[in-house]
Amino acid sequence: MTTTRDDRRYTDQHEWALVQDPGEAGAGTVVRVGITDHAQDALGDIVFVQLPAVGEEVGPGNPIGEVESTKSVSDVYSPVSGTVSAVNDALTDAPETINADPYGAGWLVEITVPGDGGDPTADLLDPAAYQALVDAS
């Protein structure tokens, strides 16, 4: 059974988003993004990850990279609008980290969302809604 964490929000494409730092007023909010336990479980053994460059502008629902497993290749979509401020370079040499720890060390990117420090993930699925989506699939 896969887990859904209560401390973050989710997309119907199986990404998670976790607000890292609400930031100073006007400095933007940093949102860490990864794929869910359900997604890594469905993919199987992850062998390659392609991530965007730091500084790249991204928008909600737009592909920002790929996760390749022994079974298939899946696009990863941005849950929010903003600028890629960090990528998890450790995944280049150890993509299987996503399988082992999808909500921790297996994070993919951090996106800085411009604005006044509100929650840019508020419109995403809450944990219960995401779990219902998974249970229905």
Side-chain angles (χ1 to χ4, degrees), residues 8 17 30 34-35 39 48-49 57 62 66 73 77-78 82-83 85 95 97-98 102-103 105 108 111 123 131:
R8 56 204 72 204
V30 176
I35 65 170
F48 178 75
V49 180
E57 296 287 326
N62 293 336
E66 290 179 345
V73 176
Y77 299 92
S78 178
T83 304
S85 50
T97 304
I98 297 169
Y103 295 121
L108 301 176
I111 299 168
D123 293 340
Q131 191 60 51

Side-chain angles (χ1 to χ4, degrees), residues 82-99:
T83 304
V84 176
S85 50
V87 295
N88 189 350
D89 291 327
L91 299 178
T92 304
D93 295 327
E96 67 278 3
T97 304
I98 297 169
N99 293 119

Side-chain angles (χ1 to χ4, degrees), residues 29-100:
T29 302
V30 176
V31 177
R32 183 170 276 187
V33 179
I35 65 170
T36 65
D37 192 28
H38 173 78
Q40 72 76 24
D41 188 58
L43 282 166
D45 295 334
I46 293 170
V47 295
F48 178 75
V49 180
Q50 180 187 339
L51 298 173
V54 170
E56 196 171 309
E57 296 287 326
V58 297
N62 293 336
I64 55 170
E66 290 179 345
V67 176
E68 189 174 323
S69 72
T70 52
K71 294 187 206 169
S72 67
V73 176
S74 269
D75 282 330
V76 176
Y77 299 92
S78 178
V80 294
S81 230
T83 304
V84 176
S85 50
V87 295
N88 189 350
D89 291 327
L91 299 178
T92 304
D93 295 327
E96 67 278 3
T97 304
I98 297 169
N99 293 119

